[in-house]
Amino acid sequence: MFERRLFFHVDWFLFGAVLLLAALGVAMIYSTTYVRLPDGSGHAGREFWIQLYALAIGGIALLVCLTIDYRFLAEHSLFLYAGLLGLLIFVLVAGDSAMGAQRWIAVGPFKFQPSEFARMTLALILAMYFGENRRGARNTSDLVIAGMFVLVLFALIVKQPDLGSAMTLLPVFLGVAYLAGLRLRLLAIAAAIAILLAPIAWKYGLKDYQKSRIVIFIDPEQDPRGAGYQPIQARVTVGSGGLRGKGFMQGTQGQYKFLPVAHNDFIFSVLAEEFGFLGVLGALGLYLFVILRSLEAARLAKDRIGAYLVGGIISGFTFQVIYNITMSAGLAPVKGLTLPLMSYGGSSIIATLAAFGLILNVRMRRFTN
């Protein structure tokens, strides 16, 4: 239940920064999808309106996750997890396909992507599991059980295929496990095993297009008009902004569609072109503020479940932000990972705002019994 006095403990600075990033994202989507007509006029693209609708739904989701006690949600996380598994299985059986992937469920004129809600659901169930377990993450058997929660989701999402979204589950697991007392020695062993298994994963685990992305990342000039076109154009877009940028809707790479899917995976590149290095610093400053403020919410949490929940959510969020930005700058292989709060994607913005509703919830209830 929501008590009126809790209203005064809401972190309005974090709430405002999240909304500011979402508003900046909507502005950039408007710019990149603007339709120019031959007579000189134009209108907003369809993606802009969909993002606005999703932002409104996401606001409602944030309020719901803020209002309901996070402990209640954690205690029922197993049901949420089972529901998510059902949706992911349905996607594989009867989901909508696009661009060689089957990731969506059609809901009227809109498409719903269940995998976007995997990080939040995983953070809830891991926070409950480790929070109620006095041994924390120090016991290997407990880590194995917790790892099974991750592995099942990972396998279902990879099957779509969506390796990018699946990879974002790992930082959530590591964030919760680290706060719960995961020994760094175990991390070092896991990293060593991963390195040893890398050649096997390259030969048998990765598909041809995934291998191509890694090869093109190393040398995009191998195929400048094919697989290397997008990373090359992303670098050009980022570099063309200079110090102050070309101005809102005045860029060339994003406006004239030289950069494919600019409103989605490469929204940060367009931001750099239109607002320049100063705009990039402003956006990075907002993201840093959101991350640090969320970490403070974890520190101030009244119980371990709250701390672990915030730690898991913000770990996945931070990984996504860092990877997308480095990818936009040509410092990481191209992968279908959106920039949270800014990239186009209805399910992404709804899931992200709902997750921040939980973070605000934890901080707001730090004084309750």
Side-chain angles (χ1 to χ4, degrees):
M1 296 295 293
F2 185 81
E3 302 174 34
R4 183 175 297 179
R5 64 187 179 88
L6 295 178
F7 176 84
F8 298 101
H9 299 305
V10 174
D11 187 350
W12 297 108
F13 291 106
L14 176 59
F15 180 75
V18 168
L19 288 188
L20 192 56
L21 281 169
L24 181 59
V26 168
M28 299 315 303
I29 292 169
Y30 178 87
S31 174
T32 56
T33 62
Y34 188 79
V35 179
R36 300 182 184 275
L37 301 177
D39 62 1
S41 62
H43 60 82
R46 176 175 175 272
E47 296 85 356
F48 168 77
W49 297 110
I50 292 176
Q51 190 76 355
L52 279 184
Y53 294 140
L55 188 58
I57 297 172
I60 296 172
L62 184 150
L63 291 177
V64 170
C65 289
L66 176 67
T67 303
I68 303 173
D69 193 326
Y70 67 88
R71 286 191 62 92
F72 176 84
L73 293 173
E75 288 166 1
H76 293 80
S77 58
L78 192 58
F79 297 102
L80 297 175
Y81 184 85
L84 177 63
L85 289 184
L87 290 174
L88 291 174
I89 292 171
F90 179 84
V91 166
L92 295 177
V93 174
D96 272 25
S97 301
M99 297 180 291
Q102 191 167 316
R103 305 173 184 172
W104 300 272
I105 298 174
V107 183
F110 304 106
K111 290 185 177 182
F112 168 68
Q113 187 175 350
S115 59
E116 288 290 347
F117 296 84
R119 289 180 295 276
M120 181 174 65
T121 305
L122 181 62
L124 276 167
I125 198 167
L126 290 180
M128 187 64 193
Y129 179 74
F130 285 125
E132 292 294 306
N133 182 356
R134 293 190 176 184
R135 293 175 299 183
R138 296 179 181 275
N139 189 284
T140 305
S141 61
D142 293 329
L143 279 173
V144 171
I145 294 172
M148 292 303 296
F149 289 123
V150 184
L151 185 61
V152 174
L153 290 179
F154 189 93
L156 288 173
I157 295 174
V158 166
K159 190 70 177 175
Q160 294 178 358
D162 189 1
L163 181 59
S165 295
M167 289 298 295
T168 61
L169 299 177
L170 301 182
V172 176
F173 171 74
L174 291 175
V176 177
Y178 176 76
L179 291 178
L182 174 65
R183 294 187 179 94
L184 295 181
R185 178 171 57 87
L186 292 177
L187 276 181
I189 293 173
I193 293 173
I195 293 172
L196 292 175
L197 293 178
I200 299 174
W202 175 268
K203 187 171 180 62
Y204 300 105
L206 296 181
K207 298 182 181 295
D208 290 339
Y209 76 90
Q210 293 169 336
K211 295 178 181 178
S212 174
R213 285 179 174 178
I214 296 175
V215 172
I216 290 300
F217 160 67
I218 298 173
D219 184 14
E221 297 296 338
Q222 286 187 16
D223 190 9
R225 296 187 179 182
Y229 179 80
Q230 200 169 33
I232 290 173
Q233 291 300 319
R235 294 179 186 178
V236 171
T237 305
V238 170
S240 65
L243 179 63
R244 299 178 180 273
K246 298 178 179 177
F248 182 61
M249 297 183 66
Q250 300 301 313
T252 54
Q253 298 295 111
Q255 290 293 309
Y256 297 106
K257 317 303 179 189
F258 290 113
L259 178 62
V261 204
H263 59 285
N264 197 325
D265 298 344
F266 289 96
I267 196 75
F268 193 80
S269 299
V270 179
L271 172 73
E273 180 184 36
E274 297 191 358
F275 293 101
F277 182 68
L278 296 179
V280 166
L281 286 181
L284 290 178
L286 277 174
Y287 275 115
L288 182 61
F289 177 82
V290 165
I291 292 168
L292 293 179
R293 198 76 177 181
S294 297
L295 290 175
E296 185 181 19
R299 182 180 63 83
L300 296 174
K302 69 173 184 176
D303 55 21
R304 292 187 299 172
I305 291 178
Y308 297 168
L309 175 59
V310 175
I313 290 173
I314 205 61
S315 295
F317 177 85
T318 302
F319 172 80
Q320 234 181 313
V321 169
I322 292 174
Y323 193 94
N324 182 278
I325 291 175
T326 53
M327 178 186 75
S328 299
L331 301 176
V334 174
K335 179 55 67 180
L337 275 182
T338 58
L339 181 59
L341 295 174
M342 283 186 60
S343 290
Y344 168 74
S347 298
S348 174
I349 191 70
I350 294 171
T352 303
L353 289 176
F356 274 104
L358 291 177
I359 293 176
L360 291 166
N361 191 331
V362 171
R363 183 175 179 124
M364 178 183 70
R365 296 179 187 275
R366 65 190 185 276
F367 297 122
T368 59
N369 295 325

